[in-house]
Amino acid sequence: MKKITILFVFLIPIFCIGQVVKSYKKYKDKVIIAFDKGELYLSPLTENTVRIQYGLEMKNQIPELVFTSKVKVPDFKVSESNSLIEIAISKMIIAVDKKTGSLSYRNHEGKVFLSEKPDSRILKPSSVQGVPCQIVEQGFSTLPDEYIFGTGQFQDGYLNIKGLPRRLTQVNTQIAIPFIMSSKGYGLLWHNYGLTDFNPADSIVKLKPAGISGEAITVAVTTTNGTQKETRQDGVFIGNFTIKDTDEYAILLDVGQKMARKWQLTIDGKEVLNFKNHWLPPTTSTLVKLTAGKHEITVTGEKNDLPVVYYRKITNETVFRSPVASILDYVVFAGNSDEVISSYRNLTGQAPLMPIWALGYIHCRERFTTQDDLLENARAFREKKLPMDLIVQDWQYWGKYGWNSMKFDEELYPNPSAMVKELHQMNMRLMLSVWSKIDKESVVGKEFSNKKYYIPNTEWVDFFNPDAANYYWKNFSKKLLKPYEIDAWWQDATEPENDDLVNRKINNGTIPGEQMRNVYPMYVTKTVYEGSRKDAPDKRVFILTRSGFSGQQRYAAAVWTGDVGNDWETLRRQLTAGLNYSITGLPWWTFDAGGFFRPGKSQFTDTKFHERFLRWFQLATFSPLQRVHGYETNTEFWRYGEKVEAESLKYLNFRYRLLPYIYSQAADITFKNGTLMRPLIMDFANDTKALQQKYEYMFGPAFLVAPVVSEGMENWDVYLPENQSVWFNFWTGKQYKGGQTIQTASSLSTIPLYVKSGSVIPMGEKIQYTNEKPAENLEIRIYTGSDGKFELYEDEGVNYNYEKGAFSIIPFEWNEQKQTLTIGKRKGKIFNGLIENRVFNIVWVNESNGVGLEKAETNISVKYIGNNIDILRE
């Protein structure tokens, strides 16, 4: 009944409040505009950013979680005409229509890039758990040729999400970030911490059960209580709906349970959705073309589903709606994608530098079962000369002591300190799986129960309660961090799993969970990051977590895509999910290469799985983090045979040779608010065909990556975006003009890879771990054809001395007209390990040299001692 009641409240008619401007007043940090009812706060935040807040009573009881940085308020001017009030900051003008109250936004060139739809600003009184709230909604007009990206990590397979409905909630494999980026030169953050419907579809297809389908099957699945077996039986549900117009329609399927197992939907017998996994988010969406008239719809799901299908005709608009809010609140950023993300991070917090070892290979499986098991496999990596920096101990090491009891079972792990010490002696680090839930029957769990530190009727710690968060960290630090010197933390299921904030009060029973439904992961990572900075101040924090929210980048948190399958379609969907996550300003993302749910024992001999695995691993090589994982699987490369091991070694070597490039890009993230995994909108926003590419992206400024995501491909079509000059095929050195599609050789050992002209790429030697040897000799590949710059960044790699200036930046600049490479004067302070005298081996890339992974023939070798050098290409 509760679900039906909530749905009814959500769909009752909502009416716009009168929005005629009555008066306005300028303050030093905002302009307040009074309407017939309510007030609008218009607050310039930076030279290209403005925050809009509207409410009947401007009393927002929710804490400020996203915009935590103190930034000087920019200068702004207010002017008035008969029809408009205009607020001007240096890179944006906001116009308020005095008759309708709607806003429009112009860039510094005077061009409108975004506008509210008149009469689309909506507030409707509501309540949640007996607490008054507002349903808030805002609609924006979009242009016919506009492309929109973002809202986080979703499994629906869409990259351009214009018109697509999405329900923004946190669940396993889905990360909701209420942020979008437009090809028209703006970003928009919808500032709400609860469920948000993006482009909500309100027309409902009534479905009725039509029996069961197929045989019941039993599957093993991961749950918050460990591995469990479930018997699943398909159910069939049917309905019909009638539309007036032939057009494109948005469809949203809600299975009616907290997690789905299958998304399968047909309209008039034609399959519209068909995707399976052991765990799926409860909602998914798609766009379909439909003719006017009546349509029959069939949904096949789990027999206990209560599916609902929503639909609406696509129009040129973007809509945000949140059912639990106190005020309407959103932020607009003007500029290209890099400018938007830079402003966003200046306001929400810089992303700290990841430790350099986190950027090498991360090895994981579900799971090492004993201390000997883990160490035996770690030693094998070194014996087999397979590079690796970080090994991961997944769950259940706590054994008899209970879930996440912050204690190793000594029968399985007799000496964790010795285990970590041996790993360190092998130049490896340990990441440990830790949870936000604690077994209430464990020793530490009983203490949490006695103190009432749980979210009611769950085993999830109430991190919203500062006392509970502090007590969690106190135990965490005392029982895990300090005694064992563990290096990194895998914070699993931080959504929290099962959407367990709904219908529960948090922060010691003072706040409805729905108000903070999407920000639980931020509180968890904040607790561990800030605690680590305090108790291990000389050790860089590295957190891998399954969920995230805007602002979480400031807590050294990377995310991964959760418990996904291993098939080709799943691989494709991870790529679009990662690109839409990256564009929201959160830079660190990865996935389980090879898929989490795998084929079982047959995977070790199944050549079809081997092909899929290698394509997954190629993509992982050009992802922010390179990582393998797998359910109930010994994932070590050698277990799949000599061919898989050899091909995997090739891409391990590739990753480690590129570390000077990758680590420099990590510094660019921290110091310049950069983005490593770059959807093509970031560099080619004016190239329509580039915006249409779902499976291509830039990896830093140089590499165009076009991973193969289909079976049996010996050639792969790659679109080369329009570029000032040319693109180089990385493997052959052959040059191509931009603005065309090239058929590219893509044997199983080859990921299609192009390099933009003007690129400067430093490549190191093949190494087994990130700190194996100083990078005294670097190969510097120069891709001529246009001007280019690169800054080589180095520091101690493992601590926070870089915050005090202990780093080295060496600028490289290629001048195409003069055919001159300038290596500039080194910047930064002296630090431990600084290479004061080194050799740069310069390579002019062409079809006969500087191609592929192997070391190139040096054209010019120069000794560098920190001073300016000019090198003329002869």
Side-chain angles (χ1 to χ4, degrees):
M1 280 303 290
K2 287 181 179 177
K3 180 176 182 63
I4 296 172
T5 301
I6 291 170
L7 185 63
F8 174 76
V9 171
F10 194 70
L11 294 175
I12 58 178
I14 299 173
F15 299 100
C16 180
I17 297 169
Q19 300 285 290
V20 176
V21 172
K22 293 298 184 183
S23 63
Y24 75 91
K25 187 172 182 180
K26 180 183 178 183
Y27 296 83
K28 64 179 181 179
D29 61 343
K30 67 175 71 73
V31 175
I32 297 180
I33 297 174
F35 295 126
D36 288 341
K37 292 183 179 180
E39 291 181 327
L40 183 80
Y41 286 17
L42 198 155
S43 306
L45 300 181
T46 72
E47 300 293 348
N48 68 330
T49 309
V50 65
R51 184 173 184 175
I52 306 300
Q53 297 167 292
Y54 173 74
L56 301 182
E57 294 183 8
M58 297 298 289
K59 295 179 180 179
N60 194 351
Q61 304 299 323
I62 304 299
E64 190 68 77
L65 301 178
V66 176
F67 299 102
T68 58
S69 299
K70 295 188 181 299
V71 177
K72 182 183 177 182
V73 176
D75 293 333
F76 63 95
K77 297 179 180 179
V78 181
S79 59
E80 184 178 12
S81 67
N82 289 336
S83 59
L84 299 174
I85 299 169
E86 293 190 335
I87 298 90
I89 48 182
S90 65
K91 296 183 179 179
M92 181 173 18
I93 297 173
I94 307 96
V96 185
D97 187 305
K98 294 167 75 171
K99 289 185 178 180
T100 66
S102 59
L103 308 183
S104 61
Y105 302 85
R106 303 197 303 273
N107 60 23
H108 64 281
E109 297 174 345
K111 186 175 182 180
V112 174
F113 61 82
L114 177 68
S115 58
E116 295 180 344
K117 291 192 68 176
D119 301 327
S120 68
R121 184 185 302 134
I122 293 170
L123 277 78
K124 175 70 178 179
S126 186
S127 66
V128 58
Q129 296 193 58
V131 177
C133 68
Q134 299 283 335
I135 300 170
V136 299
E137 178 178 324
Q138 181 65 65
F140 302 89
S141 297
T142 58
L143 297 171
D145 61 344
E146 186 168 354
Y147 289 76
I148 293 174
F149 307 88
T151 71
Q153 173 190 287
F154 280 70
Q155 297 293 330
D156 53 38
Y158 281 85
L159 185 57
N160 174 24
I161 58 171
K162 183 185 177 187
L164 186 74
R166 280 180 168 174
R167 183 159 296 166
L168 273 56
T169 53
Q170 313 289 26
V171 289
N172 188 352
T173 76
Q174 176 174 294
I175 301 174
I177 311 290
F179 183 103
I180 60 171
M181 189 81 73
S182 169
S183 61
K184 295 303 180 182
Y186 69 89
L188 191 152
L189 176 72
W190 182 254
H191 193 237
N192 183 279
Y193 304 154
L195 179 152
T196 291
D197 269 309
F198 176 72
N199 294 330
D202 290 335
S203 297
I204 298 177
V205 181
K206 294 182 179 180
L207 300 173
K208 60 182 180 181
I212 58 176
S213 173
E215 296 183 2
I217 59 171
T218 300
V219 296
V221 295
T222 55
T223 74
T224 53
N225 295 311
T227 299
Q228 295 184 346
K229 292 188 180 296
E230 283 191 1
T231 299
R232 296 177 175 178
Q233 173 79 56
D234 280 354
V236 180
F237 307 85
I238 60 173
N240 62 73
F241 64 106
T242 301
I243 55 175
K244 295 181 179 179
D245 302 315
T246 297
D247 213 320
E248 187 172 31
Y249 286 79
I251 304 288
L252 184 140
L253 168 65
D254 182 348
V255 303
Q257 295 202 66
K258 290 185 175 181
M259 294 295 292
R261 281 75 176 168
K262 174 191 289 190
W263 297 326
Q264 189 170 350
L265 184 151
T266 65
I267 298 178
D268 302 327
K270 182 178 179 181
E271 194 169 79
V272 173
L273 294 170
N274 189 358
F275 189 62
K276 299 178 183 179
N277 191 36
H278 290 318
W279 295 118
L280 286 171
T283 63
T284 192
S285 311
T286 192
L287 305 177
V288 295
K289 291 184 178 179
L290 297 173
T291 57
K294 185 177 180 180
H295 297 276
E296 305 292 332
I297 193 165
T298 302
V299 173
T300 304
E302 206 270 332
K303 69 175 183 179
N304 294 321
D305 285 351
L306 298 170
V308 180
V309 173
Y310 303 88
Y311 68 95
R312 72 177 180 86
K313 186 168 74 170
I314 296 296
T315 55
N316 283 310
E317 65 177 334
T318 294
V319 179
F320 288 89
R321 178 195 294 161
S322 295
V324 180
S326 53
I327 61 172
L328 188 154
D329 191 351
Y330 71 90
V331 180
V332 175
F333 305 81
N336 63 40
S337 297
D338 282 310
E339 292 170 329
V340 167
I341 288 175
S342 184
S343 293
Y344 156 82
R345 295 224 196 106
N346 286 338
L347 290 163
T348 64
Q350 267 67 35
L353 252 175
M354 291 296 189
I356 191 169
W357 44 261
L359 305 184
Y361 172 59
I362 301 171
H363 182 67
C364 187
R365 76 184 199 196
E366 199 283 303
R367 58 189 166 86
F368 298 110
T369 56
T370 66
Q371 179 172 326
D372 288 342
D373 185 22
L374 187 146
L375 289 174
E376 177 186 342
N377 282 279
R379 295 183 200 111
F381 269 88
R382 292 290 180 252
E383 292 164 3
K384 294 176 178 291
K385 304 293 184 184
L386 293 165
M388 190 258 280
D389 266 87
L390 182 63
I391 194 166
V392 183
Q393 174 61 58
D394 203 348
W395 59 2
Q396 304 201 53
Y397 56 87
W398 44 74
K400 62 178 176 286
Y401 292 113
W403 198 279
N404 198 44
S405 53
M406 304 188 191
K407 187 175 177 65
F408 286 88
D409 186 333
E410 62 275 358
E411 294 178 14
L412 306 173
Y413 298 82
N415 194 336
S417 294
M419 178 178 71
V420 176
K421 184 176 180 180
E422 183 173 343
L423 289 173
H424 288 176
Q425 289 171 344
M426 290 188 285
N427 293 284
M428 295 180 184
R429 316 278 173 156
L430 178 67
M431 172 180 276
L432 188 69
S433 173
V434 290
W435 285 63
S436 310
K437 62 172 284 186
I438 302 172
D439 185 347
K440 289 185 175 180
E441 297 303 314
S442 67
V443 172
V444 67
K446 289 178 180 178
E447 295 173 2
F448 273 77
S449 288
N450 291 336
K451 294 177 180 292
K452 295 182 170 52
Y453 285 167
Y454 284 107
I455 294 172
N457 302 314
T458 78
E459 291 186 328
W460 302 106
V461 175
D462 186 357
F463 282 92
F464 300 100
N465 179 348
D467 293 334
N470 290 337
Y471 194 66
Y472 179 92
W473 177 253
K474 179 181 177 181
N475 281 275
F476 190 110
S477 181
K478 179 182 177 181
K479 298 175 189 297
L480 293 176
L481 174 68
K482 291 180 178 178
Y484 304 130
E485 297 187 0
I486 294 165
D487 302 284
W489 309 104
W490 185 5
Q491 297 184 265
D492 210 341
T494 52
E495 297 85 9
E497 195 166 80
N498 301 322
D499 213 0
D500 270 346
L501 296 183
V502 177
N503 292 321
R504 294 186 171 96
K505 293 285 182 70
I506 57 172
N507 193 5
N508 204 24
T510 60
I511 301 173
E514 289 85 350
Q515 286 187 359
M516 311 289 278
R517 190 170 175 179
N518 283 343
V519 295
Y520 186 81
M522 178 184 287
Y523 278 80
V524 179
T525 53
K526 177 180 186 289
T527 298
V528 174
Y529 174 77
E530 292 180 348
S532 297
R533 289 296 305 255
K534 175 173 62 75
D535 291 354
D538 297 326
K539 197 173 190 176
R540 279 191 208 171
V541 183
F542 175 36
I543 294 169
L544 182 64
T545 185
R546 207 171 72 183
S547 195
F549 196 76
S550 296
Q552 195 164 310
Q553 76 282 345
R554 59 181 178 258
Y555 302 128
V559 301
W560 92 100
T561 61
D563 299 344
V564 299
N566 69 84
D567 56 89
W568 290 105
E569 180 59 25
T570 299
L571 172 58
R572 289 189 284 271
R573 293 185 184 214
Q574 301 326 292
L575 183 47
T576 54
L579 293 173
N580 267 334
Y581 179 86
S582 185
I583 200 65
T584 66
L586 287 85
W588 295 108
W589 172 89
T590 184
F591 54 85
D592 296 347
F596 179 68
F597 292 113
R598 296 188 175 199
K601 292 182 179 179
S602 66
Q603 67 184 283
F604 299 110
T605 56
D606 182 356
T607 56
K608 287 186 175 296
F609 175 75
H610 296 174
E611 179 187 358
R612 293 199 302 276
F613 171 78
L614 290 172
R615 295 304 193 189
W616 276 82
F617 195 60
Q618 289 169 3
L619 174 59
T621 304
F622 288 90
S623 295
L625 302 176
Q626 185 191 44
R627 175 178 162 274
V628 162
H629 189 37
Y631 177 57
E632 292 187 338
T633 300
N634 296 346
T635 56
E636 293 74 36
F637 302 106
W638 56 86
R639 303 185 189 280
Y640 297 85
E642 292 182 1
K643 181 177 181 180
V644 171
E645 182 178 348
E647 290 297 333
S648 299
L649 175 59
K650 174 179 178 178
Y651 282 89
L652 288 168
N653 285 333
F654 203 162
R655 179 79 178 191
Y656 278 78
R657 285 212 70 197
L658 280 178
L659 274 173
Y661 175 85
I662 295 170
Y663 194 55
S664 296
Q665 295 311 304
D668 184 69
I669 289 170
T670 296
F671 291 102
K672 296 185 177 180
N673 296 323
T675 300
L676 176 55
M677 191 171 186
R678 304 172 61 82
L680 295 186
I681 182 183
M682 298 196 72
D683 298 287
F684 309 101
N686 296 319
D687 184 343
T688 299
K689 193 159 186 179
L691 297 176
Q692 295 169 351
Q693 304 306 308
K694 293 174 65 175
Y695 308 123
E696 295 183 19
Y697 61 97
M698 294 296 292
F699 189 66
F703 289 100
L704 175 69
V705 186
V708 175
V709 290
S710 295
E711 184 177 12
M713 293 293 158
E714 291 295 324
N715 292 287
W716 190 250
D717 285 344
V718 179
Y719 176 71
L720 302 178
E722 295 174 358
N723 188 21
Q724 289 180 351
S725 186
V726 297
W727 294 92
F728 289 73
N729 184 315
F730 176 82
W731 302 104
T732 67
K734 188 172 181 180
Q735 300 179 34
Y736 300 88
K737 290 183 178 180
Q740 62 174 324
T741 298
I742 298 295
Q743 192 175 73
T744 302
S746 60
S747 68
L748 188 53
S749 64
T750 305
I751 182 172
L753 202 60
Y754 286 82
V755 180
K756 189 165 59 174
S757 62
S759 295
V760 178
I761 298 179
M763 297 184 71
E765 299 181 39
K766 293 179 182 179
I767 52 178
Q768 294 297 297
Y769 46 90
T770 50
N771 64 333
E772 182 177 4
K773 62 181 74 171
E776 293 177 346
N777 295 278
L778 281 183
E779 178 180 313
I780 309 295
R781 295 190 182 182
I782 311 297
Y783 293 81
T784 60
S786 58
D787 294 342
K789 295 181 180 180
F790 185 84
E791 289 187 337
L792 177 66
Y793 177 89
E794 295 165 322
D795 63 12
E796 292 170 350
V798 296
N799 54 41
Y800 289 100
N801 291 339
Y802 74 86
E803 294 180 341
K804 304 170 187 174
F807 56 78
S808 163
I809 294 176
I810 301 174
F812 291 77
E813 183 170 354
W814 168 251
N815 186 304
E816 178 68 19
Q817 183 178 358
K818 296 181 179 179
Q819 292 288 288
T820 301
L821 175 67
T822 299
I823 306 175
K825 183 179 177 62
R826 182 169 49 224
K827 306 170 187 176
K829 297 179 180 178
I830 298 293
F831 61 87
N832 183 32
L834 173 66
I835 307 170
E836 297 193 58
N837 300 289
R838 66 196 309 168
V839 173
F840 291 131
N841 297 311
I842 312 302
V843 176
W844 315 113
V845 177
N846 56 42
E847 290 186 51
S848 60
N849 192 28
V851 299
L853 172 61
E854 298 306 316
K855 192 173 182 179
E857 180 181 340
T858 300
N859 295 117
I860 302 173
S861 185
V862 296
K863 294 181 178 180
Y864 180 79
I865 59 173
N867 297 320
N868 192 82
I869 301 174
D870 288 324
I871 304 161
L872 179 65
R873 183 187 183 191
E874 298 179 354

